[in-house]
Amino acid sequence: MGTSAERGSASTAFYTRGDYIPGIWVDGMDILAVREATQFAINHCISGKGPLVMETMTYRYSGHSMSDPGTSYRTREEVQDVRQTRDPITSFKEKILTAGLVTADELKKLENDIRVTIDEAVKKAKTDNEIGLDELPCDVYSAPLEPTVRGITPWNNLEHKRLGPAVNLH
């Protein structure tokens, strides 16, 4: 965690390290670039060409953990500069405003609606009970190939159960 990519790897072009698996690099700070690269990767895979490694380069605003403020290896000014000039959400908002695809009022309403949705989800998460241990292995896979799921140790498998239909599959 504390070693820079340059010190820990002979090659930091990670998307090229799949050996026999092709790879692509995408600027993870550009929402439209990520969308296009993802669509390319999906088309590549479903066309029968096999898997694809997609390296999505982003910038982390915070440290790695609670004990890492993220300021010993970069300056506060650097973080602030990236946040002001390359933030994906701010950049995308500017693009769609400039292109006339949305008005400032529509964006403000959308942000408020999103805030309400998040607040409701947080409230629900805080008031709901924790799920029981018997529910932990439920719906891990939409189409499980094995009847069990690894437990907290390799020799303690749990039976995969179906709790409900997968809501994110078409």
Side-chain angles (χ1 to χ4, degrees), residues 99-144:
L101 298 173
V102 68
T103 66
D105 288 339
E106 289 171 325
L107 272 180
K108 192 172 294 269
K109 182 186 179 325
L110 181 61
E111 288 172 348
N112 288 335
D113 291 348
I114 291 168
R115 201 169 283 116
V116 167
T117 301
I118 291 171
D119 289 345
E120 289 171 356
V122 168
K123 183 178 178 184
K124 182 178 181 348
K126 286 183 176 180
T127 58
D128 274 1
N129 294 327
E130 288 185 20
I131 63 171
L133 291 176
D134 60 318
E135 202 174 315
L136 281 178
C138 292
D139 299 319
V140 174
Y141 303 107
S142 63

Side-chain angles (χ1 to χ4, degrees), residues 135-157:
E135 202 174 315
L136 281 178
C138 292
D139 299 319
V140 174
Y141 303 107
S142 63
L145 300 176
E146 300 290 334
T148 60
V149 192
R150 181 180 168 178
I152 58 171
T153 58
W155 53 88
N156 182 19
N157 288 343

